[in-house]
Amino acid sequence: MAPITFIHSSDLHLGRRFANIPEPQDGNIRGRLMEARHGAILRLAETARAHGAAHVLLAGDTFDTATPSAQVLKQALTAMAEDGGIKWWLLPGNHDNLRNAEPLWDRLTAEAPPNVHALTTATPVMLDDSACLLPVPVTHRAPGRDLTDVLGAMPSPEGALRIGLAHGGVTDFEDTGAHIPPDRADTARLDYLGLGDWHGRLAIGPRTHYPGTPEQDRFKHGRRGVCLVVSIDAPGALPRVDEVEIGHFLWTEQELSIQAGLNTPEALSALLPARGRRDVLLRVQATGWASLAQRAELERAAFAAAPEFAHFDLITERLGALLDTVDLDAIDHAGALRQAAEDLKDEAEDTTRSADDRGVAAEALARLYAYVTDPAS
């Protein structure tokens, strides 16, 4: 029985438009993010060649919608066809499920090059003489049950490796029964269970793994996307699972804790990555307490740094305001502006008001201070 090495990936979401990311003037970040997702195909192929893998298993959501454009579909298939020695196995996920995307899978099956295979039925297929792939395609956007319950009954040749491929979430299996049980690999006698749906890298057990998306699309995971190089020597042997970073963009969120007296521009600068900023999407969460001057200086520093990044957000919702007379003097010593500042300060400190109302007043006062003290104004 020959060992096998293959690539496990999922959730490419080809064609995603990233409408939630603001497009700056003269910028093209959405286009760059879309292109990076397409580029993941070539990086997966390069990883397969580098590790002697003849198969790439995509565990669902290859496409972001049930109706990707003809350009997205054809360019994906063309990229996969570039190296005929690598076989691609595409499983329908919840975004490109069989019911909503039936025309997509019909067209893909008809137009796919010989090395690209659509796994549209829960039918075993041999990867080679020693390994049997057991796919579980997603039938509906929300099927409402655990589709992997068929894996245990799926046949495979005597002595062949049993490799499952599915898409969905894993829980403690105590609620509705709609999720994949974490011991599914054991109960279905699988040597490996490759899963998709979770966008971060996650090992459920030694035989059950999520690779996450190869190109991250949210801030929660804090690292570039990876794929998994999986090697299995023989039936029953534990798989060797190695992570290979292939993501182009880094999505990351950092917390900046502020207290009285802190030089906020210096603190922000120390938090920023030293290199590669053009390919970093960064969200900075400011927390703690800041004077109006500290906050204004922080926001100016953030405004100056933002164009260096693919995307940059400074979030100040959790930053409390330290209000004192010195800050108000910087706005004005008397007159209408000073009166407005005094009124806003009183509202921000009035405990009879709701937290939201106090926050609005503090935000308005901070903006007034920033406007009045801005050297460019």
Side-chain angles (χ1 to χ4, degrees):
M1 183 65 62
I4 188 172
T5 297
F6 57 89
I7 304 300
H8 172 204
S9 186
S10 71
D11 297 277
L12 271 67
H13 287 272
L14 298 173
R16 182 173 179 184
R17 297 182 181 276
F18 295 95
N20 61 317
I21 300 297
E23 191 78 277
Q25 185 178 10
D26 298 329
N28 188 31
I29 181 56
R30 294 176 188 170
R32 293 183 63 214
L33 291 170
M34 293 177 67
E35 182 60 26
R37 302 200 82 76
H38 176 80
I41 297 173
L42 300 181
R43 295 192 292 276
L44 286 168
E46 290 170 356
T47 304
R49 287 191 293 270
H51 292 84
H55 303 274
V56 177
L57 312 185
L58 299 182
D61 287 355
T62 300
F63 300 97
D64 189 55
T65 70
T67 55
S69 69
Q71 185 179 39
V72 167
L73 175 60
K74 292 294 289 185
Q75 290 184 1
L77 295 178
T78 299
M80 293 175 187
E82 288 187 4
D83 188 337
I86 298 174
K87 294 182 180 179
W88 297 78
W89 303 88
L90 279 58
L91 184 80
N94 61 308
H95 279 252
D96 50 13
N97 66 82
L98 287 174
R99 179 175 181 176
N100 297 117
E102 183 178 359
L104 163 65
W105 292 104
D106 287 345
R107 183 177 178 186
L108 192 151
T109 300
E111 299 181 5
N115 65 324
V116 177
H117 307 275
L119 300 168
T120 56
T121 63
T123 304
V125 59
M126 297 301 293
L127 295 179
D128 57 27
D129 293 339
S130 63
C132 183
L133 180 63
L134 311 176
V136 185
V138 176
T139 54
H140 300 73
R141 177 75 183 228
R145 65 182 182 88
D146 169 31
L147 298 175
T148 69
D149 59 1
V150 302
L151 284 171
M154 278 193 189
S156 59
E158 182 70 26
L161 294 168
R162 290 172 59 84
I163 301 170
L165 194 66
H167 188 91
V170 171
T171 70
D172 60 9
F173 209 53
E174 293 178 353
D175 49 11
T176 65
H179 300 281
I180 301 168
D183 63 348
R184 177 59 75 204
D186 295 330
T187 61
R189 310 178 315 283
L190 301 177
D191 295 287
Y192 184 83
L193 176 56
L195 297 177
D197 190 34
W198 181 247
H199 283 204
R201 167 72 178 109
L202 182 63
I204 302 300
R207 299 185 186 276
T208 304
H209 295 265
Y210 288 94
T213 176
E215 268 298 330
Q216 283 298 334
D217 52 12
R218 59 197 68 183
F219 293 99
K220 67 187 299 181
H221 301 297
R223 62 178 297 190
R224 283 184 166 86
V226 304
C227 67
L228 302 181
V229 180
V230 183
S231 299
I232 311 175
D233 291 334
L238 287 178
R240 297 187 303 279
V241 181
D242 297 315
E243 300 175 7
V244 177
E245 185 180 280
I246 63 171
H248 182 81
F249 285 96
L250 172 64
W251 296 60
T252 183
E253 186 172 63
Q254 303 290 336
E255 181 174 319
L256 178 59
S257 180
I258 298 173
Q259 62 278 337
L262 180 71
N263 185 313
T264 52
E266 289 184 359
L268 176 65
S269 179
L271 199 67
L272 302 181
R275 56 177 62 88
R277 295 182 179 185
R278 186 172 185 268
D279 298 327
V280 174
L281 292 90
L282 177 62
R283 176 184 288 164
V284 176
Q285 290 276 3
T287 63
W289 296 86
S291 68
L292 295 177
Q294 285 178 297
R295 174 166 171 161
E297 291 166 357
L298 173 63
E299 291 178 342
R300 289 172 192 142
F303 181 80
E308 301 172 12
F309 290 83
H311 175 75
F312 186 103
D313 264 340
L314 174 66
I315 311 298
T316 57
E317 294 173 355
R318 294 162 53 196
L319 183 61
L322 295 173
L323 306 176
D324 56 42
T325 303
V326 174
D327 286 335
L328 300 189
D329 287 344
I331 294 176
D332 204 349
H333 290 283
L337 283 179
R338 177 56 180 252
Q339 185 60 55
E342 294 277 7
D343 292 343
L344 290 170
K345 179 177 181 294
D346 290 342
E347 292 178 19
E349 295 175 336
D350 185 355
T351 57
T352 66
R353 294 176 175 270
S354 68
D356 286 344
D357 286 345
R358 296 198 305 272
V360 169
E363 177 71 20
L365 181 56
R367 293 192 179 189
L368 176 61
Y369 179 94
Y371 176 77
V372 172
T373 61
D374 185 354
S377 64

